[in-house]
């Protein structure tokens, strides 16, 4: 039976809750103190290292993961010019990419064998950077600016850090608020969810040049729940506005899931064999304010509530409609989920 560790970052508590997933059964293991709030996470399974972004103070905490117990212990900390809201480790573990929403900056750290960090090149700057991904070969990185409705695309240099491509940015629809982006497994497609319009954007990616080209957009929220298009600076819960949060592909890459926080839903879309977005297959109610979620190795979804100190385990049917299996305790502001083989 396969077994995995599931780590949940609790942004308000400054803790990490760890679960064991064996087959279909999720079991709480441990709660570890990080010592600061924030907690976007990324994991280096080869060295059992966990990197956690912190907002007070700005920086990245490095933790040792103890697989037997599921606990993490702090082994180092590095300052950053902004509060990281998103971290991404290169596939070889040599570079850590970060994005800061409130300070509008991003950059790259070199990762030493012991997990210690040192900056590489200059920081980049766009308003409200919300996420970053790096190609599997480590040659290209992509940052989303929610405020400016764009994806900034870069070549990655070992010595110089980030070098803008030509063109340096690719547009998202005006006022859409692009938020998170993910690759298809073959790296030929990039999918971006939007916070304000509740869509998924599909871009084709050229592996040689690294350049993105917009293909299409598809609504990925329920359209019958009375939500209106949002905007920068609005209060979506008070004004009943769209509040898109996270997106993930299932293992087969025939379904893409999106979460929306105001109505607490996850919507599933079909994905064609060529990566093109299809239609909606299901809308499902989930735990309150689902800012982050993950697709587990057994195909279930684990959805974190920012409000209720819980995560919910959901099982999809043939149409990817979700049935609640169980809820488990988590910390306040739970939102970031990482999974590694145990």
């Amino acid at each position: 039976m396969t077994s995995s560790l599931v780590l949940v970052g609790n942004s308000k508590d400054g803790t990490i809750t760890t679960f064991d997933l064996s087959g279909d059964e999720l079991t709480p293991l441990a709660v570890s103190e990080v010592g600061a709030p924030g907690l976007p996470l990324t994991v280096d399974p080869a060295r059992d290292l966990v990197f956690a972004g912190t907002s007070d103070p700005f920086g990245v905490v490095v933790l040792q993961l103890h697989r037997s117990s599921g606990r993490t212990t702090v082994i180092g900390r590095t300052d950053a010019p902004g509060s990281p809201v998103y971290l991404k480790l290169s596939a070889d573990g040599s570079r850590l990419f970060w994005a800061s929403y409130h300070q509008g900056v991003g950059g790259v750290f070199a990762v030493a064998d012991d997990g210690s960090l040192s900056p590489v090149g200059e920081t980049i700057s766009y308003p409200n950077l919300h996420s970053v991904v790096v190609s599997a070969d480590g040659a290209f990185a992509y940052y989303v600016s929610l405020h400016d409705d764009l994806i900034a695309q870069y070549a990655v240099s070992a010595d110089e850090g980030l070098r803008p491509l030509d063109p340096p940015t690719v547009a998202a629809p005006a006022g859409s608020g692009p938020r998170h982006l993910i690759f298809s497994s073959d790296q030929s497609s990039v999918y971006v969810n939007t916070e304000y319009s509740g869509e998924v954007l599909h871009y084709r990616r050229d592996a040689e040049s690294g350049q993105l080209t917009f293909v299409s957009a598809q609504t990925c929220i329920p359209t019958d729940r009375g939500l209106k298009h949002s905007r920068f600076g609005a209060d979506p819960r008070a004004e009943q506005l769209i509040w898109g949060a996270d997106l993930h592909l299932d293992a087969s890459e025939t379904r893409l899931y999106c979460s929306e926080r105001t109505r607490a839903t996850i919507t599933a879309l079909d994905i064609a064999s060529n990566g093109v977005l299809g239609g909606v297959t299901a809308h499902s109610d989930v735990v309150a304010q689902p800012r982050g979620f993950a697709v587990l190795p057994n195909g279930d979804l684990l959805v974190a509530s920012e409000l209720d100190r819980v995560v919910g385990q959901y099982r999809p049917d043939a149409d990817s409609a979700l049935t609640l299996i169980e809820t488990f305790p988590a910390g306040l502001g739970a939102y970031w989920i990482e999974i590694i083989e145990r």
Side-chain angles (χ1 to χ4, degrees):
M1 180 184 297
T2 59
S3 179
S4 301
L5 288 175
V6 181
L7 280 64
V8 179
N10 306 304
S11 63
K12 305 296 186 185
D13 284 353
T15 60
I16 296 173
T17 304
T18 308
F19 298 86
D20 172 78
L21 176 68
S22 296
D24 292 337
E25 186 173 352
L26 199 66
T27 304
L29 286 181
V31 178
S32 305
E33 294 285 341
V34 177
L39 300 197
L41 305 177
T42 190
V43 179
D44 181 351
R47 291 178 285 187
D48 289 341
L49 296 175
V50 180
F51 302 90
T54 61
S55 58
D56 185 16
F58 299 164
V60 178
V61 171
V62 186
L63 305 106
Q64 189 73 56
L65 174 63
H66 307 282
R67 290 186 186 236
S68 59
S69 66
R71 293 191 176 276
T72 61
T73 53
V74 176
I75 59 173
R77 187 189 173 281
T78 300
D79 291 336
S83 169
V85 297
Y86 207 103
L87 298 176
K88 197 69 176 181
L89 197 66
S90 62
D92 66 1
S94 68
R95 294 290 184 269
L96 179 66
F97 298 77
W98 58 273
S100 171
Y101 178 83
H102 293 290
Q103 287 70 45
V105 291
V108 186
F109 288 115
V111 185
D113 289 342
D114 63 358
S116 58
L117 305 175
S118 56
V120 179
E122 301 296 323
T123 58
I124 64 168
S125 180
Y126 284 97
N128 303 111
L129 289 174
H130 211 300
S131 61
V132 55
V133 295
V134 57
S135 59
D137 60 7
F140 300 98
Y142 305 88
Y143 285 77
V144 168
S145 169
L146 185 145
H147 184 278
D148 280 4
D149 296 316
L150 61 81
I151 304 170
Q153 44 190 12
Y154 295 90
V156 179
S157 166
D159 299 324
E160 301 173 11
L162 301 168
R163 292 187 288 104
L165 298 183
D166 183 15
T169 65
V170 179
S176 62
R179 180 179 170 89
H180 286 178
L181 71 168
I182 56 174
F183 282 116
S184 61
S185 60
D186 66 4
Q187 308 273 292
S188 66
S189 288
V190 170
Y191 302 100
V192 184
N193 73 321
T194 64
E195 182 166 329
Y196 302 149
S197 62
E199 297 172 291
V200 174
L201 313 177
H202 177 208
Y203 295 82
R204 288 289 185 200
R205 177 178 174 271
D206 182 272
E208 185 174 346
S209 69
Q211 293 176 351
L212 303 182
T213 303
F214 179 73
V215 178
S216 65
Q218 176 64 267
T219 299
C220 199
I221 60 167
T223 57
D224 61 351
R225 303 290 183 96
L227 295 177
K228 299 177 182 179
H229 194 293
S230 191
R231 66 193 183 280
F232 188 80
D235 183 338
R237 291 183 68 86
E239 299 182 48
Q240 300 300 291
L241 304 176
I242 295 168
W243 201 12
D246 201 7
L247 81 167
H248 293 283
L249 290 161
D250 72 356
S252 70
E253 300 193 5
T254 59
R255 290 282 161 77
L256 185 148
Y257 296 99
C258 311
S259 65
E260 195 284 321
R261 285 172 283 182
T262 302
R263 292 288 183 263
T265 59
I266 287 183
T267 293
L269 290 180
D270 260 331
I271 303 291
S273 58
N274 61 357
V276 172
L277 298 169
V280 170
T281 64
H283 303 293
S284 303
D285 295 322
V286 293
V287 293
Q289 206 163 298
R291 182 175 172 186
F293 70 97
V295 179
L296 299 174
N298 71 333
D300 289 355
L301 271 64
L302 187 66
V303 186
S305 170
E306 277 192 299
L307 297 180
D308 292 340
R309 292 183 179 269
V310 297
V311 293
Q313 182 182 2
Y314 294 85
R315 189 151 298 153
D317 65 13
D319 292 324
S320 295
L322 304 178
T323 297
L324 178 64
I325 303 302
E326 193 170 352
T327 58
F328 301 89
L332 183 61
Y335 84 104
W336 198 280
I337 302 173
E338 289 287 315
I339 303 163
I340 63 168
E341 290 185 6
R342 194 166 189 188

